[in-house]
Amino acid sequence: MGDILAYESEIFGLIKEYLRFCDFEETVKIFEKECKGKGKPIPKTIGNGLRDSKTLIIQKEFLTSFEDGDEKVFFNLWEEHIPEHIRDKDPQSQKLEFYLHIHFAIFPLKTTLGALDRSDLDERIAEFKHYLETRGAAMSQTTEFLPYYALPFVPNPVAHPSFKELFKDSWIPELRKRLEQFLSLILKASNAPKLLTLFKETGSGNKEYVHQLQQQLLDAERKAATYMKRYNKMQADYHNLIGVTAELVDSLEATVTGKMITPEYLQSVCVRLFSNQMRQSVAQSIDFTRPGTASSMLRASIAPPKSKDVPLLPSLDYEKLKKDLMYGNDRLKALLLQALRWRLTRSYPGEQRDAVLQGYISNDLLQCNSSNQRSVLQLLNSKSEIVRQYMARLINAIASLAEGRIYLSQNPVLLRVLENTLKNGEKDYLMRENVLGALQKLSLRRAAQTAMIQDGIVMWLVNVLEDTDSLSDYTLEYSVALLMNLCLRTAGIKKCAQHAKHVLKVLSDLLGHENYEIRPYVNGALYSILAIPSIREEAKAMGMEEILRCFCKEGNAEMNRQIEFIIKQLNSAEVYDDGLESDDEDEDDYDENAMESDLDKAEVLQPQPRELSGEALLNSEYFGNSWYCLIFRD
């Protein structure tokens, strides 16, 4: 009874606080009146006014950081005051958080009056992209949010029809209102009375916490056991080392008195030293009678691996090279082209490869900057099939690097020659594949895109892709990738619109192709061309949505998300705006590492003719003395 009396006042205070939290004001009055009549004192509790003022302060901090675009402060408050189970489980909370991330990502675009701070915008877009790849990844299953996964990759979101809602004047006030309503509800719940907190702590939440602590304890015990084993091993090695050291000191003292140390004794000591680092049989087989052998073995056992230095390759006589490429016999031309390609593809990525490419560019190896009618580029039209193939492979390899693409793009004649070779090279399929690969990489350059579209490459690709059974995997993948690149441009989409039914038929057939590597490119091309209303209508007439839905059942989450994007574009009512395309867009903004890896494809695309193997090159009299630096052995 004494314990009850000791805590009675505090318990009454908890009851009153809970009743007031639940707005039982009449009940509180009766409860206070009855306690007063029985002489039971009720301690003063934190009033609603103080609690409400604290809530208002927190809410004001939220709204201030929202209006100032201070993403870091806002989401620090978000993590601090919004309970974790609500952030991770409540759908409304997750939706609001998604739109808040969009708000902070595009904040400079909506609020900047003067010059746009590009670095600030890029940083915000990068932060939004990181969110999409982490916490926001789960929202990709919701159709409402699918278009916004493309936001980080759109150069000018303000002009893009998919994001026009974000840039309406009413969007920020509406989002602010939703945020206020959410905070009012959540912050009130977070200021729960102490009685409710005590109940939760003794409920399932407490059990989960105890289970978590027990799991952490087991992990700590396992780690402790592992560290103890390591400690015991180190201690044993230490004792062994002390013992060996003591014996060696005794032996040194013995040598002072003239006693010799035998090779057998030295071998037994080394066996003990190496017992944990190498097999004893190996230690016993080493000749320790040679001075320095034991000490060398000891030092080698703990020496860190040396980093490999990559030297720069010796320079070449480019004037002689270009002269022989133009006037030499076909065998010599083929040998030189192969050696030049190997010099680039077999160099180490980084400084060595950059130096090789810069050597080609600065010396204008392919004479892209030359106005002479006769140039190295004419080897693409050589009478020799091997010379044509090797020239195409060299161009393909150079186009795999950004600086190489810039260099090749300087000569508009080269692009025309490559296009003609692509269209007329049915018989020489190996050369055609390399030319196709080079054109696909050059299509990352805006000027090259424009030229290819004007020269009818879009419909040529569509016609080629109509019969995929006759195409190699390389031709198929690079043809679809090139088509997608050209369809990203307004002019390319308009070319497709002229033959909408045919283009849609080919692309829908490619969706079901067994080569899954082409799916992202097909999806990208479809999404782009469906921006035009006339193509959307044609697609609806042929039941494109039903066709797309069939491919959603295969269980690939990434492909499903892409298809949902396409379906949303298909059902869009937006009118295509030709002015969306900007001629000021940066060129060649692609992952250089991914492109550089294609050098391997350029190297193994086709079998090497036996008479032009690396060994044959080394035996050639032409590559004697200083010229051998061109060649790399297989």
Side-chain angles (χ1 to χ4, degrees), residues 573-600:
E574 297 294 334
V575 177
Y576 188 71
D577 185 0
D578 291 354
L580 287 177
E581 190 174 15
S582 170
D583 290 330
D584 296 328
E585 182 182 349
D586 291 338
E587 294 189 310
D588 222 12
D589 187 18
Y590 293 83
D591 182 357
E592 184 59 28
N593 291 330
M595 291 300 301
E596 189 166 338
S597 66
D598 194 67
L599 285 171
D600 297 331

Side-chain angles (χ1 to χ4, degrees), residues 31 90 145 163 174 265 344 356 373 506 624:
F31 179 66
D90 182 63
F145 299 109
F163 310 125
E174 289 174 359
Y265 170 75
L344 181 63
V356 171
Q373 291 185 350
V506 170

Side-chain angles (χ1 to χ4, degrees), residues 477-492:
E477 292 172 18
Y478 274 79
S479 296
V480 179
L482 176 57
L483 178 62
M484 185 197 75
N485 286 352
L486 300 183
C487 287
L488 296 176
R489 297 287 303 280
T490 300

Side-chain angles (χ1 to χ4, degrees), residues 329-341:
N329 58 54
D330 288 341
R331 177 176 173 79
L332 176 59
K333 292 175 182 177
L335 291 171
L336 287 173
L337 291 171
Q338 182 191 51
L340 288 166
R341 187 182 76 253

Side-chain angles (χ1 to χ4, degrees), residues 341-392:
R341 187 182 76 253
W342 281 359
R343 183 178 173 89
L344 181 63
T345 61
R346 301 187 180 188
S347 60
Y348 288 98
E351 186 178 0
Q352 189 184 77
R353 178 167 290 173
D354 292 343
V356 171
L357 182 61
Q358 284 305 317
Y360 291 176
I361 295 173
S362 60
N363 291 281
D364 196 14
L365 175 64
L366 300 184
Q367 297 179 315
C368 289
N369 299 317
S370 174
S371 58
N372 296 334
Q373 291 185 350
R374 185 176 179 85
S375 69
V376 175
L377 294 176
Q378 289 184 333
L379 294 179
L380 285 169
N381 298 320
S382 172
K383 295 181 180 179
S384 168
E385 180 180 345
I386 295 296
V387 172
R388 293 197 304 270
Q389 288 180 13
Y390 277 47
M391 184 61 185

Side-chain angles (χ1 to χ4, degrees), residues 54-83 87 96-97 100 103-104 175-176 179-184 186-187 190:
K54 182 181 177 183
T55 300
L56 289 173
I57 292 172
I58 296 172
Q59 189 166 341
K60 185 177 180 181
E61 291 176 349
F62 267 108
L63 296 176
T64 300
S65 56
F66 173 85
E67 292 167 353
D68 293 343
D70 196 335
E71 183 175 10
K72 186 175 181 181
V73 171
F74 183 91
F75 283 108
N76 284 340
L77 291 169
W78 186 268
E79 292 184 5
E80 181 181 355
H81 297 290
I82 308 301
R87 298 199 311 265
L96 179 60
E97 183 179 355
L100 287 168
H103 164 71
F104 288 111
L175 181 61
R176 188 184 190 280
L179 175 62
E180 283 186 275
Q181 294 172 346
F182 177 79
L183 292 175
S184 298
I186 296 300
L187 293 179
S190 64

Side-chain angles (χ1 to χ4, degrees), residues 193-337:
K194 192 173 181 181
L195 185 62
L196 181 59
T197 304
L198 290 172
F199 176 78
K200 287 182 177 180
E201 288 178 352
T202 57
S204 59
N206 192 44
K207 292 179 182 178
E208 292 177 1
Y209 181 64
V210 171
H211 177 72
Q212 184 180 358
L213 289 177
Q214 289 175 341
Q215 190 63 41
Q216 290 177 357
L217 178 61
L218 289 174
D219 293 341
E221 288 176 347
R222 280 195 290 266
K223 289 180 180 178
T226 302
Y227 293 144
M228 185 57 68
K229 288 181 181 178
R230 293 180 183 176
Y231 167 74
N232 291 334
K233 182 178 180 300
M234 290 178 65
Q235 190 176 47
D237 289 343
Y238 172 72
H239 290 160
N240 182 41
L241 186 58
I242 291 296
V244 171
T245 303
E247 288 187 20
L248 291 175
V249 171
D250 291 340
S251 300
L252 286 173
E253 290 178 348
T255 57
V256 175
T257 61
K259 185 177 180 181
M260 298 295 293
I261 297 177
T262 63
E264 290 76 18
Y265 170 75
L266 183 59
Q267 188 174 42
S268 67
V269 170
C270 289
V271 167
R272 290 168 61 189
L273 285 173
F274 289 115
S275 60
N276 293 324
Q277 300 181 35
M278 60 189 296
R279 294 174 62 89
Q280 291 193 18
S281 59
V282 176
Q284 291 170 352
S285 66
I286 298 174
D287 182 10
F288 291 105
T289 59
R290 292 179 1 187
T293 302
S295 60
S296 298
M297 291 294 296
L298 279 172
R299 294 187 181 96
S301 66
I302 61 171
K306 294 182 178 179
S307 59
K308 187 174 183 180
D309 294 328
V310 180
L312 296 180
L313 299 178
S315 60
L316 304 174
D317 185 347
Y318 284 97
E319 292 304 318
K320 179 172 175 55
L321 263 173
K322 288 185 279 188
K323 180 180 178 181
D324 289 339
L325 284 171
M326 292 173 59
Y327 301 107
N329 58 54
D330 288 341
R331 177 176 173 79
L332 176 59
K333 292 175 182 177
L335 291 171
L336 287 173
L337 291 171

